[in-house]
Amino acid sequence: MRYTAAHWGTYKIIKDKGKRFKLFPFEQDKDPSDIGRGIETALTSSARIRKPAFRRGWLEKNQHHKNIKRGEDQFIEVSWEDAFELVSKDIKRVISNYGNESIYAGSYGWASAGRFHHAQSHLRRFLNLIGGHTYSKNTYSYAAAEVIVPHVLGNFYNFLFDTTSWVSIKDNTSLFLAFGGIPLKNGQISQGGVGSHIQKDYLKKAALKGVNFINVSPLKSDLEGVGNIEWLPLKPNTDVALMLALCYELNKAGIINNDFIYRYTVGFKKFLSYLNGSSDGIIKSADWASKIIGINKKVILNLVDKIKNSERTMISVSWSLTRQSHGEQPFWAAIALASIIGDIGKPGGGIGFGYSAMNSIGNHYKKIPAVSLPQGKNSVKKFIPVARITDMLENPGISFDYNGSRFSYPDIKLIYWAGGNPFHHHQDLNRMIKAWQKPETVISHEWCWNALAKHSDIVLPVTTPLERNDIALAPRDPYMIYMSKVLEPIGESKSDFEIFSGLAKKFGFKDDYTEKKSENEWIEWIYNESNALQESNHKFPDFDNFKEKGWYKSPDQLSQQIFLKEFIEDPVKNPLETPSGKIELFSKQIDSFKYSDCVGHPKWFGDKEYLGKSKKYKLHLLSNQPKFKLHSQLDNGKVAGNEKIDGRAVIEVNKIDAEARALLEHMVVKVFNDRGSCLAAVKISDNIRQGVVNIPTGAWLDPLKSSSISCVHGNPNVLTNDVGTSKLAQGPTAHTCLVEIEKFHEKAPRINAFDPPKIIAAKRERN
Ligand SMILES: Nc1nc2c(c(=O)[nH]1)N[C@H]1C(S)=C(S)[C@@H](COP(=O)(O)OP(=O)(O)OC[C@H]3O[C@@H](n4cnc5c(=O)[nH]c(N)nc54)[C@H](O)[C@@H]3O)O[C@H]1N2
Ligand SMILES: Nc1nc2c(c(=O)[nH]1)N[C@H]1C(S)=C(S)[C@@H](COP(=O)(O)OP(=O)(O)OC[C@H]3O[C@@H](n4cnc5c(=O)[nH]c(N)nc54)[C@H](O)[C@@H]3O)O[C@H]1N2
Ligand SMILES: [Mo]
């Protein structure tokens, strides 16, 4: 049997003699996702890039029309031979004129599953061989947590997959307070692949066993489908006020676990003096918080009682809580709250990061150690916090703060992207598009004509996993999948590996790049090297047997993971990696940075764009993860359409807000603020808090040149704000965004997002 693996699951592939194929659920998958079937139509759609293509203005050095910008130009197809020659020449030119630092290859993005064909690894391996590149730090997923949590708990990455298992929650948790909910739509995904989807099953089992889940979120659907769930629909971006009030009221009621605070934390006194208002004159009471979060004080006090009466409480924070202004604070405040309750390190209790986010979080399998493609060493030291790309392009040489130090932006002349889509993931796209015109060359590897490809100078067509062999192996997922090639590459597409091999040859580094190994030899190398890391009683089967069967499941090695158990058992022998070795409720280190936007303790910051802050823009826009796709991937396939109305992204609007604006179900509306505007189709519901609207991300950017609409398809990132979380992490803040909506009075324009640009067919030879 042949299988393929994606971030959204594993599928059996049945193919006829031609190019027709169908994907079927993996027989081991308890709860398969439909997302994968999107590729059945997307693979060979008209949006597929079939040949290397160069922007006409770039190739002809802007002679045909000086003012045609990236994103508006035609493309000329060229042969691979010419493409390798032109690309390598241009990279050499840029390096010799400006140095390697002027190449930006942060290239953030999820690419495809598969350990070998990981686009970014290949890009960096290639660029590192030729002198390096400016890189990026942290992610769009949880940048603020990546930077703050190490100060408070000593680590973040290692902790991600150490989250207390669902099994432990099912058997021990009494109260599960879910900030940002646990939207089941998200559990379809795990970076690197999923063997069997377990999230829904465990959530149901836990609810059946009597775990009391409370959904703290503006969206009811963030936790549903597992019985009667209490919904606490607070205003977006106000969770910190609620957490602080819970800390204050618990302490006031004497429910605080003093023993825990004494043994395992530092800085409580300073934090308490902030809660009590000694530092700012404001007592962080339920009364205070209720006005900020927009929920009755009684509900907060009731929650205090529930915590008091619960044997074991889990404080769960979704990653989305980092993607907001001051996104460091919700994680820090949640850790403080869990410390005051004192259930950290106990079965089913304490704190959890990202139960909302991926199938692997809470899975009880031990992490399978595995190797990746070696990327080599980057000789360039310049970096940016990943979401500061527009700032970087706009401000070469200007300095910025990050995690206690000052750095400066490089002057970027060449952008090289493979495996991500900044026209999906970045905020304030209108601003980014302007800044994007500045570099001399933009190169991307893509398989479809999305906005990234259309805004590139050089587009090199890549294969999808169905057109190459690979191996999938993801952390905390017990399955390893042999990903079979089922189709010959569509058009003239090549894998990222083949493309960089071709370029490396032009630089005289081909053998260093490939190490004289073919695709299949690399896959076997990854398998064998990973096998060498397994404990002796859990070795993988022979490679040929694995390949023949198509999958392997590692034995159940661990029944329960309990986050921070070792530290709690013996904080002296197993200290945290923080300066004090304990949980830092006050951080001397952060305090010493003297940042006004991130001080020494968790703090409520009200100086941001949130509900009630603007007379002009009265609605808070959330842009959560889409249900029927991963980000922008497969937006052009048949499954993503399930989440749209007449092909357009949906905006969910509360009944009362819709009535106030005379909006009707399915009506096309203009959503706007000072940064931009998009069209979307209305879905009226009482699933969303009044004053809040939501457009899931992922609609391919589709600007309407003839009008002022920044995107007729419904990409929310033309509206979102591009400001760092704070000087500490400089993370993205998509969820801090106010808008207004009104009926779109004109005829709804056609969506052109999936149309390729105008392409001029390849000439035989080119000098
Ligand atoms: N408003 C708003 N914006 C957000 C978010 C939000 O909540 N709200 N969430 C943010 C988050 S958490 C994330 S992680 C980002 C996600 O942002 P991205 O990860 O950039 O989004 P994807 O659509 O997954 O982009 C992956 C791209 O890689 C391409 N690709 C797939 N396979 C291959 C391959 O083998 N080789 C090459 N070269 N390319 C390949 C796909 O075609 C696709 O264009 O978005 C962020 N943006
Ligand atoms: N189907 C699908 N699943 C995915 C992805 C996808 O694209 N599609 N992307 C994956 C990726 S890359 C990531 S990083 C994870 C992200 O995982 P999350 O960050 O958990 O996912 P989101 O859907 O962005 O956010 C979850 C919910 O948080 C709520 N929320 C937003 N702002 C606030 C707030 O201020 N307070 C509270 N209390 N709630 C708020 C929103 O209602 C939203 O539905 O998801 C992963 N899973
Ligand atoms: Mo993410």
Side-chain angles (χ1 to χ4, degrees), residues 71 421 423-424 448-456 700-702 753:
N421 181 2
F423 292 80
H424 161 77
C448 21
W449 281 111
N450 58 14
L452 168 66
K454 288 176 185 167
H455 286 82
S456 299
W700 289 9
L701 183 74
D702 192 2

Side-chain angles (χ1 to χ4, degrees), residues 108 110 140-141 323 625 631:
Y108 181 80
W110 270 56
Y140 278 74
S141 308
R323 270 175 261 125
Q625 310 292 339
H631 316 134

Side-chain angles (χ1 to χ4, degrees), residues 54-58 62 64 66-75 423 429 432-439 442 444 449-459 701-705 710 752-753 755-758:
F54 284 57
R55 185 168 75 82
R56 186 170 170 199
W58 187 91
N62 278 330
H64 77 294
K66 272 214 161 62
N67 295 324
I68 294 185
K69 293 188 194 136
R70 292 196 174 100
E72 297 171 2
D73 210 350
Q74 306 165 349
F75 281 81
F423 292 80
L429 287 177
M432 189 186 85
I433 289 169
K434 273 198 200 108
W436 192 260
Q437 308 296 333
K438 289 181 78 179
V442 178
S444 67
W449 281 111
N450 58 14
L452 168 66
K454 288 176 185 167
H455 286 82
S456 299
D457 299 315
I458 300 170
V459 182
L701 183 74
D702 192 2
L704 185 63
K705 303 272 155 31
S710 328
N752 301 308
D755 296 344
K758 183 156 190 320

